[in-house]
Structures are given as structure tokens and as C-alpha cells.
Amino acid sequence: MVSRTKLIPSILPSATVVATALLFSFSGQTFAACERGALDKKYCDENGDLVADLPKDKSEWVNPDTLIFAYTPVEDPAIYSDIWQPFIDHLSKVTGKDVRFFAVQSNAAQVEAMRSGRLHIAGFSTGPTPFAVNLAGAVPFALMGSDSGQFGYTLQVFTQKDSDIKAVKDLKGKRVAHTSPTSNSGNQAPMALFPELGVVPGEDYKINFSGSHDQSMLGVVAGDYDAAPVASEVVDRMAARGLYDPKEVRMVWESDRFPTTSYNYAYNLDPALVEKIKEGFFSFKFAGTELGKEFEGVEKFIPINYKDNWKVIRTIQQANGVDYTRDKIE
């Protein structure tokens, strides 16, 4: 196990520079000058919680008849549409709204959908969550967890069972698959943590982006890659569905735990609707549902906040020089 990096200092500017009455133009749009930290200029963060504030003008609040929900990009969206249906039905009952599942093809598409107002509720993967927060006004409020409040996943490095790779340092000169640039366990965490373990990604080995944790793991099994850093929760679900034989691979290294997929609502949703959405999440019981079978060990959604629970992820991304811009999502 490796120790966590020291947490980054606050990136919010001094409160003395807040100017609430001024207006300025950006890309053809007019925005109020306000405290916003790393947030896009569309948003304000005057309370310093690092997420977009609810608009002060009630006419800007959104309360649609149909709520659009999306889960993170996966290999087979059709399967997940069925798996999520019990939850969709429950959320619809609690909110009194028509709730529809929206299958997204990429992290960038998911962030853009919320930014444009076409997506109201979403599960964003760990690494893309800060992009969703800063670019799309996403407000993280829940994670999947246990009744005891435990949650999270680990970064695991896998290779073939008969490989000569015994430790992370042995990745030098090998064919190593990362998932995508914004993925935490699939790229950002390895970039930040592997140097301590004796190998620098991109220097000691060429990074091959597979596109997903599923593809990375299947590539290792097939011998297309010598090794891959992947998210434990993803490969566990793959094994449970019989997509690969765990006996064909060997785990080389495992990290401390990271927060898993965050569940978010759009910053401009009517507060009364937000409370109903939260009620729908926190009252849902996984036991006996397809969702519960898919996410084994998960018993309920638990409340979280972005400022505290994503500190370690922001630290990793800061170490990698990540800028929260639309062209850097993928």
C-alpha cells in the first residue's frame, strides 16, 4: 500500500475579491462577477464548497416533467439500462416525475449533456467527477456504500498468471494499457503513484489507451497488453458476469481506497425537486434487485460532499497538472 499524498490547499481566491454586482461578457454570454474558484464562468461558488451555487434568480431554477438519468459510460449500455430499471421506477415514484435512463458513450458526452441542460441526474466516474463539477455544474451528493457507511474501490494492477511481472517496477518496457486520460484508477492515479514504486508511465513504458476498464482487462487476458491498472469494482463485476476467468490473471499491486462513482444533480434544479431526488436515492434498497446483484456488497446510497470526499482525487489530478477544460475531458 502507498500513503496518500498531502491534500491540496484551497484553490478559492480570497473572499475580499468577491464582486457580486458586476457583470462581464464571456464567449458571447454575460455572467455575474462572483467567487467561483476552479468553476467555469457559468457558475458561482460564494459559499466555498467547491460546487456551483443554486442561481439566485428563481426564474432560472429547473423543474422538468421528465428527469433524465445517466450512469457512467460502460461497454454494454443496454445491459445497464435494464439493471438500473428498478431504481428508475423507485425514483419516479418518489419524485412524481417520468424518469428515463440515458446511455452515454463517453465521459465527455456525459459532461456536455449536463452542461447543456439535457441531463439532470448522473453517476460520474471518479476521475471525471471534478470535470463534471467544474464544467457542468454537477453537485455530488451520494455514493454507493454499505449499511456501515463504507464505500470506495481500489486501483489494481493485473498481468497474465504466468507473466514475469512481479511488481510495478517490472512494467518498464512492457505493453501497459491505461483506460482514458481522465480516469482516476485507469490513468491519473497511476501517473501520480507509480513513480514512487519505481516506474514512470509514459517514460518507462508507452501508455496505450484502451478506452475502458473492461477493454484493459480483456486485453490483458487476451495477451494484447502485458499489464493494466484497473478499478477493482469494475473487474469484480466482470468476473461475476463471467467475462473473464480470474485464474487467467494475477494481481501485482493494489492501492488504498478511492471514492467510487459519484451521483450528482444539476446545480439549477429546483430545491424542492432536489430534496425529492435525494429522498429517492437514500430510500432505495438494493437487496433483491438487479442493481443489488450487479453491485455486490452495496446496500444503499450514502450521503457525501465533493469538497471532502474528492480531496485525494483533486490531489492526484493536481499532481498530473490537470486543467478542468472541455478539451481535456477525454
Side-chain angles (χ1 to χ4, degrees):
M1 296 290 180
V2 296
S3 61
R4 296 188 184 276
T5 311
K6 290 183 178 180
L7 301 180
I8 61 173
S10 172
I11 58 176
L12 295 174
S14 168
T16 60
V17 302
V18 175
T20 58
L22 298 178
L23 296 174
F24 65 94
S25 179
F26 177 74
S27 298
Q29 294 178 287
T30 300
F31 302 103
C34 60
E35 195 76 77
R36 56 174 47 89
L39 297 178
D40 184 87
K41 292 179 175 61
K42 287 183 64 175
Y43 315 111
C44 292
D45 177 25
E46 294 184 352
N47 61 6
D49 63 359
L50 305 188
V51 299
D53 296 337
L54 177 72
K56 294 180 179 179
D57 186 347
K58 292 185 178 181
S59 68
E60 297 179 21
W61 295 0
V62 176
N63 197 337
D65 293 331
T66 300
L67 294 173
I68 306 300
F69 169 81
Y71 182 57
T72 61
V74 292
E75 190 65 23
D76 191 344
I79 292 178
Y80 273 80
S81 177
D82 293 338
I83 289 172
W84 277 98
Q85 194 57 49
F87 172 78
I88 296 297
D89 293 341
H90 175 76
L91 187 62
S92 179
K93 182 178 180 180
V94 173
T95 61
K97 304 281 188 179
D98 180 22
V99 182
R100 299 182 183 178
F101 184 90
F102 174 56
V104 294
Q105 302 302 317
S106 69
N107 294 315
Q110 188 180 24
V111 170
E112 186 58 35
M114 181 165 281
R115 179 182 173 90
S116 67
R118 294 180 288 113
L119 180 61
H120 309 113
I121 313 166
F124 288 102
S125 296
T126 304
T129 289
F131 286 86
V133 167
N134 289 293
L135 297 177
V139 181
F141 69 96
L143 290 175
M144 289 182 179
S146 66
D147 285 335
S148 64
Q150 293 184 336
F151 61 85
Y153 71 100
T154 62
L155 156 60
Q156 298 174 335
V157 178
F158 281 93
T159 186
Q160 292 86 18
K161 63 177 182 180
D162 56 355
S163 168
D164 61 355
I165 298 173
K166 306 298 182 184
V168 172
K169 62 182 178 61
D170 297 330
L171 297 179
K172 290 182 180 180
K174 300 295 186 179
R175 298 168 301 164
V176 182
H178 287 205
T179 59
S180 64
T182 58
S183 173
N184 178 61
S185 55
N187 185 58
Q188 294 290 335
M191 293 290 289
L193 302 178
F194 282 8
E196 297 180 30
L197 304 173
V199 65
V200 179
E203 294 182 14
D204 293 325
Y205 65 78
K206 179 183 177 181
I207 297 173
N208 299 279
F209 287 116
S210 69
S212 70
H213 294 275
D214 305 58
Q215 290 297 331
S216 287
M217 195 62 176
L218 293 176
V220 170
V221 173
D224 297 330
Y225 309 118
D226 297 314
V230 289
S232 61
E233 60 177 359
V234 177
V235 295
D236 287 347
R237 291 199 297 271
M238 289 178 66
R241 294 203 302 270
L243 297 181
Y244 77 96
D245 184 351
K247 294 180 180 179
E248 296 180 353
V249 296
R250 174 168 46 82
M251 188 168 66
V252 174
W253 181 80
E254 184 174 30
S255 74
D256 291 330
R257 299 189 75 80
F258 300 118
T260 187
T261 298
S262 65
Y263 292 88
N264 305 250
Y265 59 82
Y267 80 108
N268 58 347
L269 292 186
D270 188 304
L273 174 58
V274 168
E275 288 307 307
K276 284 294 185 181
I277 291 171
K278 289 181 177 180
E279 179 185 343
F281 271 79
F282 298 137
S283 63
F284 181 73
K285 303 299 182 183
F286 282 75
T289 69
E290 289 300 312
L291 200 60
K293 294 177 183 177
E294 178 69 9
F295 295 93
E296 187 176 356
V298 171
E299 295 164 304
K300 64 180 181 179
F301 287 102
I302 60 176
I304 53 95
N305 72 81
Y306 174 73
K307 186 174 184 179
D308 294 334
N309 295 110
W310 253 257
K311 280 182 178 179
V312 64
I313 305 304
R314 296 195 302 273
T315 298
I316 289 171
Q317 293 181 340
Q318 184 190 50
N320 286 305
V322 172
D323 295 318
Y324 301 123
T325 56
R326 295 165 81 178
D327 62 325
K328 298 291 180 64
I329 299 176
E330 295 288 27

